[in-house]
Amino acid sequence: MKLELCTLSGGYGAKLVIDGVSLTIRDRSIVTLLGPNGCGKSTLLKMIGRILKPRSGEVLLDGKSVNRIDTAQLARRLALLPQQQHSSPDLTVEELVMLGRFPHRRGPWTASPRDREAVDKALNMTRLQGLRHRLTRTLSGGERQRTWIAMTLAQEPELLLLDEPTTFLDICCQFEIVELVRSLNRQFGITVIMVLHDLNLAASCSDELIMLKDRAIRYAGPPREVMTPEILREVFSIESRITWSPEGVPYCMALGSTRPAESSC
Amino acid sequence: MSFRDRLRTRTGRWCVIGILGGVLLAAILSSLGVGALRLSPTEVAETLWRRDGGIPYRILADIRLPRILLGALVGGALAVSGVILQGVMRNPLASPGIIGVSSGGGLAGILMMLAFPQFSFLLVPAAFVGALTTAFLVYLLAWKQGASPVRLILAGVAVAAMLGAFSSAVLLFHAEKAGGILDFSIGSLSTGSWPKIRQVQYYMLAGFVVAPVLSNRLNILTLGDEIAAGLGLRVEQTRFCLIAVAALLAAAAVSVAGLLGFVGLIAPHIMRLIIGSDHRFLIPAAALFGAALVVGCDTIGRMVMEPSELPVGLIMALLGPPFFLWLLRRHGYEA
């Protein structure tokens, strides 16, 4: 799988949120998009996932524009989980995960052994076997998020796009999600592009961090190269100190804002 | 596994659908026996089976059967329309009225009755065209790079309010003719006949065939536009088809039975409470239940004030809410 963004621009209505972004995503890597609120992370992710049409430029999957690939066909290779609006449909965990088979299924009535196998595998990977008959609305936040991820896994994608998968979760659940992403990547070779807000969480699991600001990519590279006080000051307007874990992962201690008081967010 | 969980398994859901089919049949048979000529269900079956052409047979075949079948069709159509619209709009308050079908059909019907009272056979087509045109107008007004559910609902409410005001204004100036129109706006089956069924049967049939075909796509669509698009669903295209089916069914129902919209709101919810929101099962279940509900309420309406009768819409609005509220309080329900 090869994913390239070529001078991609796009936004909503008259407003341009992403302007001329070019990027190549390495196969089987975990890439995290970082940046202050409103920098266009989610917009970029939506354009990669073909649910927002770019104004100009292209997203090429193996050399073919994602907007020109048949959308159902694309859904068998690329799965995406938008930012959650806390919705919990009136379905059980298993029923919801089975909906992830939609792009593979012929008719709505008969689930093939292949479909059931994929659902079982997704439930195993997300450790939800014990909850498969529970209604989604009775789950905790972390379990619910794992259910949604299981649904995207039932699609059996090569490329997984996650928009803020850890937001609103407690710290343990955040780690669970990140470890899940890591194991999906290591065991099954799924390429993951996600948006995170927590710098340290991102640094601990990503092969590459993409720092966005003002509609464009400012810095891109492995965590140890781009998690520096200078770059964080420029992108996030924070004063910070970086320490290193024994495994060589940078850890950022934020000390304060460098933004002038009148131009707050 | 509790009884409620059992109802939500595949077998449980099919059982519920089977039972509802039985209930509908029983409602139709007992309804056939009610009236000035009282017959037991076995006598009804015997009479219809013999086809002897006698007076009891004529009463059953020419007067009661078409009325009852029309009631069943109307109830089923409105319930399916309600299920679809609640799913598409992701809003539990959605009902056929929300896309302007009732107000549009109502205004067109009223204008027809006042302007050409001599051409009563034109009432059904006029109301049908009025209902469909309004639904299309609401859809167009809500369109802005896609028809979002919220814009659809707001456009629908606005258009319905305006057309309702037109209807009221027209009625104010023609108070002397308001009688027949009142029947129409409450919802009544008293003029049900074979020709009326023939006028809408194909639209309803088309709706009843297409709705189950789209049911799994409706499941996907209720997850949200972005998730649905991510799963490879053509969101706008699917939404348009679903709204078109809902509009077709509701327009056909409103044009023959008047504004009986309430069944489209509660029949789906009652079935949701029992078998859950998987639309593959919900659509047939709600159709059967809506049909039985309308037939049942119409029967009661014919019985309580014999030899006169109360319109089915009135009975439904009186009996439906208490039953619905009882269910709502008994089950932990979150739409």
Side-chain angles (χ1 to χ4, degrees):
Chain A
M1 189 222 63
K2 194 174 163 214
L3 188 74
E4 290 167 289
L5 318 186
C6 309
T7 54
L8 199 62
S9 303
Y12 310 96
K15 201 172 152 225
L16 207 59
V17 185
I18 285 289
D19 194 1
V21 165
S22 295
L23 182 68
T24 304
I25 307 280
R26 269 190 304 123
D27 192 16
R28 294 166 184 260
S29 61
I30 298 179
V31 177
T32 301
L33 308 178
L34 291 167
N37 287 335
C39 69
K41 306 177 295 270
S42 295
T43 310
L44 184 58
L45 203 68
K46 282 180 195 171
M47 287 194 286
I48 298 173
R50 59 85 170 77
I51 57 176
L52 182 70
K53 229 181 152 191
R55 188 84 50 82
S56 63
E58 277 183 316
V59 178
L60 300 175
L61 183 65
D62 289 336
K64 218 174 159 194
S65 165
V66 290
N67 293 100
R68 278 200 218 109
I69 303 174
D70 175 65
T71 179
Q73 217 166 6
L74 186 64
R76 287 177 221 146
R77 303 187 58 192
L78 180 158
L80 111 146
L81 189 60
Q83 218 167 315
Q84 285 301 293
Q85 317 87 23
H86 296 281
S87 65
S88 49
D90 185 22
L91 297 169
T92 64
V93 169
E94 192 179 20
E95 287 170 334
L96 180 59
V97 176
M98 188 51 99
L99 291 181
R101 294 303 293 168
F102 178 72
H104 296 271
R105 290 175 72 172
R106 294 265 155 69
W109 287 105
T110 45
S112 69
R114 185 77 204 73
D115 292 327
R116 267 190 225 104
E117 196 184 305
V119 169
D120 283 341
K121 203 169 123 192
L123 290 172
N124 276 331
M125 285 193 270
T126 49
R127 294 182 292 112
L128 287 166
Q129 310 93 318
L131 300 173
R132 65 194 306 160
H133 297 299
R134 281 270 294 277
L135 282 172
T136 53
R137 68 162 180 268
T138 65
L139 301 174
S140 72
E143 291 163 347
R144 196 175 300 164
Q145 186 65 307
R146 293 214 307 272
T147 308
W148 283 107
I149 293 178
M151 187 199 78
T152 60
L153 294 179
Q155 273 175 263
E156 302 187 307
E158 300 160 48
L159 175 61
L160 181 60
L161 308 179
L162 301 170
D163 196 351
E164 298 196 25
T166 59
T167 307
F168 304 119
L169 299 183
D170 66 41
I171 189 144
C172 173
C173 292
Q174 293 189 16
F175 278 114
E176 276 182 355
I177 298 290
V178 163
E179 275 157 26
L180 173 63
V181 167
R182 197 97 185 124
S183 73
L184 293 175
N185 174 262
R186 292 290 177 268
Q187 283 182 40
F188 303 99
I190 299 175
T191 308
V192 180
I193 307 176
M194 59 181 166
V195 171
L196 288 179
H197 265 300
D198 188 317
L199 297 173
N200 295 317
L201 209 56
S204 72
C205 72
S206 311
D207 299 310
E208 195 166 357
L209 299 180
I210 311 279
M211 304 261 189
L212 291 118
K213 193 182 186 184
D214 299 335
R215 306 195 289 269
I217 294 176
R218 286 295 177 84
Y219 297 94
R224 70 192 125 70
E225 287 174 23
V226 292
M227 276 268 274
T228 65
E230 298 73 38
I231 290 180
L232 293 179
R233 189 180 307 127
E234 188 189 331
V235 174
F236 288 97
S237 316
I238 54 165
E239 216 45 77
S240 62
R241 194 178 300 150
I242 301 295
T243 57
W244 297 82
S245 79
E247 294 82 35
V249 176
Y251 186 91
C252 147
M253 242 185 299
L255 302 173
S257 157
T258 62
R259 191 147 41 190
E262 63 271 19
S263 70
S264 65
C265 22
Chain B
M1 217 189 219
S2 74
F3 180 66
R4 277 196 68 203
D5 290 336
R6 225 176 272 274
L7 283 179
R8 300 177 64 122
T9 61
R10 194 171 257 243
T11 345
R13 285 166 170 165
W14 282 123
C15 285
V16 170
I17 291 174
I19 291 168
L20 285 170
V23 168
L24 175 60
L25 207 63
I28 290 176
L29 276 181
S30 47
S31 182
L32 278 167
V34 169
L37 172 76
R38 261 180 204 278
L39 296 167
S40 73
T42 37
E43 286 171 320
V44 166
E46 247 181 65
T47 316
L48 283 179
W49 183 256
R50 277 206 313 266
R51 294 174 164 233
D52 57 4
I55 288 171
Y57 176 77
R58 294 258 72 92
I59 290 175
L60 285 185
D62 296 347
I63 298 169
R64 290 188 193 165
L65 193 58
R67 173 186 184 142
I68 292 163
L69 282 183
L70 190 71
L73 283 173
V74 163
L78 288 171
V80 171
S81 176
V83 168
I84 293 176
L85 291 172
Q86 284 166 9
V88 169
M89 313 282 183
R90 290 177 215 120
N91 189 316
L93 286 175
S95 71
I98 203 97
I99 48 168
V101 181
S102 307
S103 52
L107 180 62
I110 289 167
L111 288 178
M112 201 54 162
M113 275 190 239
L114 290 173
F116 306 103
Q118 64 277 37
F119 302 125
S120 61
F121 62 92
L122 282 177
L123 175 63
V124 173
F128 183 71
V129 170
L132 269 192
T133 313
T134 315
F136 189 63
L137 183 74
V138 167
Y139 188 84
L140 277 188
L141 287 171
W143 182 272
K144 193 181 171 192
Q145 295 166 335
S148 85
V150 176
R151 264 202 305 271
L152 274 168
I153 290 176
L154 293 177
V157 170
V159 168
M162 224 174 84
L163 294 184
F166 275 126
S167 297
S168 304
V170 172
L171 284 181
L172 268 181
F173 290 110
H174 301 274
E176 74 286 354
K177 292 178 192 158
I181 293 167
L182 192 63
D183 244 13
F184 184 81
S185 59
I186 297 173
S188 166
L189 293 166
S190 57
T191 56
S193 60
W194 289 113
K196 267 200 171 177
I197 291 184
R198 275 195 287 277
Q199 274 178 310
V200 291
Q201 63 189 8
Y202 293 111
Y203 304 118
M204 288 201 175
L205 197 69
F208 287 134
V209 169
V210 177
V213 173
L214 293 175
S215 60
N216 203 42
R217 283 178 218 184
L218 183 53
N219 281 339
I220 303 282
L221 194 62
T222 52
L223 299 180
D225 283 8
E226 293 188 342
I227 290 178
L231 285 169
L233 188 79
R234 284 179 186 80
V235 171
E236 286 306 335
Q237 205 179 314
T238 310
R239 181 152 47 217
F240 179 80
C241 291
L242 282 163
I243 292 177
V245 170
L248 191 69
L249 282 169
V254 165
S255 63
V256 284
L259 312 183
L260 198 63
F262 194 60
V263 60
L265 180 67
I266 64 164
H269 280 299
I270 289 173
M271 287 335 292
R272 262 178 230 277
L273 286 168
I274 296 173
I275 63 166
S277 293
D278 186 336
H279 292 92
R280 294 174 303 169
F281 302 93
L282 186 59
I283 286 178
L288 291 170
F289 182 71
L293 197 66
V294 169
V295 171
C297 287
D298 186 45
T299 312
I300 295 171
R302 279 159 49 208
M303 282 165 69
V304 285
M305 281 177 60
E306 266 181 298
S308 170
E309 63 174 71
L310 287 173
V312 55
L314 201 71
I315 302 290
M316 181 124 41
L318 280 175
L319 298 185
F323 177 53
F324 182 47
L325 291 171
W326 171 74
L327 267 175
L328 197 62
R329 291 196 63 88
R330 256 196 82 212
H331 296 252
Y333 183 46
E334 261 140 89

